[in-house]
Amino acid sequence: MAALDQTDFRTIREDGTRVHMLENAAHRLMARPQLTIAIPFYRDDATRLVSTLNRVIGHRKSIQILLLDDGAPDADLNEQTARTLLALTAPAMLLTASHNLGRAAGRNTLAAFARGDWTLFLDADMELPHDDFLDHYLDAIEIGGFDAAFGGFETETPDDHSLALHAALTQGADEAPAFDRQRTGATAFCSSNLLVRTRVMALCGFDEGFTGWGWEDVEWAVRAAKTHTLIHLDNPARHQGLQGADTLLAKFRDGAINYARLLELHPELVSLPSYKAARLVGRLPLAPFWRTIWSVMTRAERLPLRLRALSLKLWRASWAAEALRTPTGEA
């Protein structure tokens, strides 16, 4: 791979994980930046977001772009990302893990390589809604008074009907202004648009006991809020990574294990509506029968979106209830 001739390798973990490092010319000349933008990806194309960030950053050299291709890389996508990075005018580095680290360990790795005083985590499938997006965060940093902030996110209604369920679910449950999120507190945090002091990440990283999908960002925020100041801001990024019903069903099923871990670590979160829903659904007999019904209804595009979203939530609650039936807890 010609684009990767200018690289270095570094062993970064006790399990022998190695990271392949590629930096562009601006990165080699970079002094200590104010902000690192950290973008993990796993077979998702981050080049559109990176190109937009490069344009918005312009000639400012106080911002570092840091990418992590999180293991088992798609060779063509990795090559495309590398070539995009080498052409950027903004300081940028691509890390390629020798094997998949996962969401928590991947973000911890990015934090370890971040040179900025602050790190902004963005998911690869996010999009900047306007060119002032970074300026809003830089203004907040200038004002200070906090250690981490979640800027929120927004979702547009897609033209693809197969993605409408995900959009409706997100718009109905996850999108909220900062005032409402602040009242919810740490459990409203998400790592898709998270600004945090880099030194805080060194003291309070993501829990790598969370594997697969989900809840590691909520657990991080709940834990971090005990010793640091977390706030919510109105600076949403636009969520572009909408997924179909089959993918959502699989993620919500698999994420139940992480949900059980969250409650094991933070039993005070039994006040969450999701826990109450799991307790209620967990009392229903014939769980496999109901799951079949809910999965069929979730996939049925002719049904009203509200009914499909409710079915998906009941599916998620049923798996959460099962995961909570362990020696450490009873749903």
Side-chain angles (χ1 to χ4, degrees), residues 72-214:
D74 178 314
D76 292 337
L77 177 59
N78 190 272
E79 172 78 12
Q80 177 186 353
T81 304
R83 293 190 183 281
T84 298
L85 177 138
L86 291 174
L88 299 180
T89 56
M93 173 180 278
L94 170 63
L95 309 172
T96 303
S98 58
H99 65 269
N100 182 251
L101 298 171
R103 293 165 60 88
R107 285 172 174 79
N108 287 343
T109 299
L110 283 165
F113 278 86
R115 296 187 187 177
D117 296 325
W118 290 80
T119 298
L120 172 60
F121 290 100
L122 289 175
D123 282 355
D125 58 11
M126 303 302 275
E127 181 180 272
L128 305 192
H130 50 74
D131 286 354
D132 294 333
F133 176 80
L134 292 181
D135 289 329
H136 288 177
Y137 273 134
L138 293 172
D139 290 343
I141 290 172
E142 192 68 26
I143 295 171
F146 67 97
D147 297 305
F150 175 48
F153 60 86
E154 59 188 24
T155 305
E156 293 183 341
T157 301
D159 294 329
D160 187 344
H161 188 65
S162 68
L163 305 178
L165 173 63
H166 195 179
L169 192 71
T170 299
Q171 292 165 352
D174 298 326
E175 293 186 19
F179 177 79
D180 292 339
R181 286 185 273 114
Q182 193 69 45
R183 290 191 297 179
T184 303
T187 57
F189 262 64
C190 182
S191 59
S192 59
N193 182 18
L194 170 65
L195 177 70
V196 57
R197 293 183 190 271
T198 304
R199 62 175 174 80
V200 170
M201 288 302 304
L203 298 170
C204 183
F206 288 93
D207 182 347
E208 297 181 15
F210 286 81
T211 59
W213 179 85

Side-chain angles (χ1 to χ4, degrees), residues 202-283:
L203 298 170
C204 183
F206 288 93
D207 182 347
E208 297 181 15
F210 286 81
T211 59
W213 179 85
W215 298 105
E216 77 288 336
D217 43 8
V218 172
E219 192 284 327
W220 175 87
V222 171
R223 181 163 36 89
K226 295 177 180 179
T227 52
H228 300 88
T229 301
L230 274 61
I231 66 171
H232 290 270
L233 297 175
D234 281 317
N235 194 29
R238 184 168 296 141
H239 184 213
Q240 297 293 312
L242 297 176
Q243 297 170 322
D246 287 339
T247 301
L248 294 176
L249 287 165
K251 281 189 170 183
F252 284 179
R253 177 196 63 214
D254 297 343
I257 296 175
N258 281 353
Y259 181 72
R261 179 175 176 81
L262 171 70
L263 290 179
E264 180 181 358
L265 294 171
H266 302 282
E268 72 275 14
L269 297 183
V270 294
S271 61
L272 289 175
S274 57
Y275 178 76
K276 296 176 182 178
R279 282 181 59 89
L280 181 62
V281 173
R283 296 191 182 105

Side-chain angles (χ1 to χ4, degrees), residues 252 256 259-260 274 278 291 315-325 331:
F252 284 179
Y259 181 72
S274 57
R291 283 183 189 144
W315 163 274
R316 176 174 58 186
S318 73
W319 285 106
E322 182 167 312
L324 289 165
R325 292 192 187 101

Side-chain angles (χ1 to χ4, degrees), residues 289-309:
F289 167 78
W290 288 111
R291 283 183 189 144
T292 299
I293 297 297
W294 293 327
S295 65
V296 169
M297 293 177 68
T298 297
R299 293 183 175 97
E301 295 186 1
R302 293 186 178 182
L303 290 179
L305 282 175
R306 278 189 173 185
L307 185 55
R308 295 178 66 201

